[in-house]
Amino acid sequence: MNDLTLLLTPEGRALLDEVRDTEPARELAVATRLRRDHPADLVSAALGQARLRQRAAAKFGAGDAGRMFFTPNGVEQSTRASVAAYRARRLTDLGVTSVADLCCGIGGDAIALARAGIRVLAVDRDPLTAAVARANAEALGLAELIEVREADVTEVDTAGYDAVFVDPARRGGRGRIFDPEAYSPPLSWAVGAARTAPHAALKIAPGIPHEAVPAEAEAEWISDGGEVKEAVLWFGTGAPGAVRATLLPGPRTLPGRGLPDPPVRPVGRYLYEPDGAVIRAHLVAEVAEEVGGGLLDATIAYVTADELRPTPFATAYEITDRLPFNVKKLKALLREREVGTLTVKKRGSAVEPEELRRKVRPQGPNAATVFLTRVAGAPTMLIGAPTRSPERHPGSRRP
């Protein structure tokens, strides 16, 4: 708290500007020089904040990160700006003009909501976290739309707000928490809070069991740049029980249609690797229908087909070879093809990619992808390469 207070002074802000681009290797020399004219604790605070801002640029962009304030946990746990902006757009599409942001952290979601024109009550019980959220609202010129309150979210009256947004803490002293009832506050409390508002969004871990999703909620899994970021339980959208996967940038959304599991079929010319959000949402069958394919194995989320049908919801690979799992045969094939750049993907295999690379020692000017998987239950290696196909398929749907 004292560090933040120091950094908010005119001297602190000037020092932050001065150390903005300090590289880690130069920190000691810079600190030694600056301590001649500034208090040591202020110099340490400024250099520490500069490191956090550099890390936060990947989530918030260099422009915002360079003006915001962070804590180590805040950088780690805050929502990526692109995901927060997408969620804010969904709320504005529902007609929401005010949101109670419970467990607001350093204010990443509150910032996105305010930029969408939504009035926000941002609540966090940790004094430093709440102070950082307040400083960020001011730094980005959003203080008129964001009221930050230091309080226990379970004691906050959210009546009068169009929507409730809850982002429970999902990390503890031992790392990530996987039991939704071990969140802080528990998921059951968050669901109860959601039921009291006209609209609500609950940010949860993407690994949540589908059976833990309340019947009246719409469940959405979101990925950004191919990396699964979160799941959201939506209330008041008019689509209870719906499931969908959304890919950013875009957004591109694949709604669930309750399709049965795809059939298992022989390996075709193409292999499709569904996006992680599609897999988490249990929508592999929808992708298989789009591409006219089936599964390699009943327990593996790889789709195979004879024709190339581009889809944004899966990456397509053209398969050139199929081998039973055998390291010597793979090594010989890669040597024959002069493959030096080898991408190893696996599903349903205990072999580690780095271990396989060490054994085959790829050399040469060419590249290939090997899939370690099962085909109809048998350990199999499929070799191929990504196709060069249009990113968007006419059948894909925007929300």
Side-chain angles (χ1 to χ4, degrees):
M1 195 69 162
N2 186 55
D3 284 355
L4 179 63
T5 302
L6 291 172
L7 293 173
L8 291 175
T9 64
E11 183 182 7
R13 293 179 185 275
L15 201 55
L16 278 173
D17 290 338
E18 186 171 348
V19 302
R20 176 191 301 270
D21 299 319
T22 301
E23 297 175 0
R26 295 184 57 245
E27 277 192 7
L28 181 58
V30 170
T32 301
R33 175 177 58 82
L34 291 175
R35 282 171 183 157
R36 297 172 190 152
D37 303 309
H38 303 280
D41 52 353
L42 175 58
V43 172
S44 296
L47 286 170
Q49 191 61 221
R51 284 196 301 272
L52 293 175
R53 285 178 167 183
Q54 290 166 7
R55 285 174 53 196
K59 282 188 173 182
F60 291 90
D64 281 354
R67 293 185 288 164
M68 293 171 66
F69 296 86
F70 299 95
T71 64
N73 284 341
V75 173
E76 182 71 24
Q77 299 178 25
S78 57
T79 303
R80 186 179 292 236
S82 54
V83 179
Y86 164 73
R87 203 186 308 107
R89 286 196 300 272
R90 280 211 69 183
L91 287 169
T92 57
D93 288 345
L94 291 169
V96 169
T97 61
S98 61
V99 171
D101 178 3
L102 308 180
C103 309
C104 69
I106 62 167
D109 286 287
I111 289 165
L113 292 166
R115 283 178 168 166
I118 296 173
R119 179 173 57 87
V120 185
L121 170 64
V123 184
D124 203 284
R125 69 180 178 183
D126 179 68
L128 174 58
T129 303
V132 170
R134 189 175 294 110
N136 286 335
E138 294 172 356
L140 298 179
L142 298 169
E144 290 187 1
L145 282 171
I146 301 174
E147 174 195 347
V148 179
R149 187 181 302 174
E150 179 192 329
D152 185 330
V153 297
T154 64
E155 299 174 358
V156 173
D157 182 7
T158 60
Y161 290 87
D162 297 336
V164 168
F165 173 67
V166 189
D167 182 6
R170 297 183 300 282
R171 288 181 183 271
R174 298 182 179 179
R176 292 184 179 180
I177 297 171
F178 296 98
D179 177 8
E181 284 308 296
Y183 293 173
S184 180
L187 179 60
S188 57
W189 179 88
V191 170
R195 287 170 174 157
T196 67
H199 306 284
L202 312 182
K203 177 182 171 182
I204 53 175
I208 185 173
H210 280 231
E211 55 269 23
V213 176
E216 71 268 38
E218 173 194 334
E220 179 177 31
W221 279 261
I222 302 173
S223 69
D224 189 9
E227 184 179 353
V228 182
K229 291 301 178 183
E230 65 182 55
V232 184
L233 302 184
W234 293 94
F235 295 76
T237 64
V243 174
R244 62 196 221 160
T246 295
L247 282 54
L248 303 175
R252 295 183 172 93
T253 292
L254 180 67
R257 301 196 301 281
L259 300 180
D261 291 339
V264 175
R265 51 149 292 170
V267 178
R269 182 176 176 181
Y270 298 97
L271 181 148
Y272 293 86
E273 181 183 29
D275 183 270
V278 171
I279 295 172
R280 292 284 194 178
H282 296 179
L283 299 181
V284 173
E286 279 73 4
V287 168
E289 184 180 74
E290 273 205 14
V291 302
L295 299 178
L296 294 173
D297 183 276
T299 62
I300 304 293
Y302 282 142
V303 175
T304 186
D306 298 318
E307 298 179 6
L308 178 61
R309 298 184 187 178
T311 171
F313 303 112
T315 302
Y317 297 81
E318 185 171 8
I319 300 302
T320 57
D321 300 272
R322 171 185 173 181
L323 301 172
F325 183 81
N326 186 299
V327 175
K328 289 185 178 179
K329 288 184 178 181
L330 177 62
K331 185 175 181 179
L333 178 65
L334 297 177
R335 185 185 300 117
E336 176 187 337
R337 304 279 172 81
E338 297 184 299
V339 171
T341 302
L342 182 66
T343 300
V344 182
K345 293 178 172 287
K346 68 165 196 169
R347 282 205 184 121
S349 172
V351 178
E352 292 299 325
E354 288 305 319
E355 176 188 354
L356 183 67
R357 286 193 192 91
R358 285 195 299 269
K359 290 181 177 180
V360 300
R361 290 180 292 181
Q363 295 179 356
N366 299 321
T369 300
V370 59
F371 294 88
L372 307 178
T373 187
R374 294 194 302 269
V375 174
T380 303
M381 299 183 296
L382 301 175
I383 297 90
T387 62
R388 295 183 179 181
S389 57
E391 180 191 10
R392 182 165 169 77
H393 182 265
S396 63
R397 288 163 289 278
R398 292 183 181 272

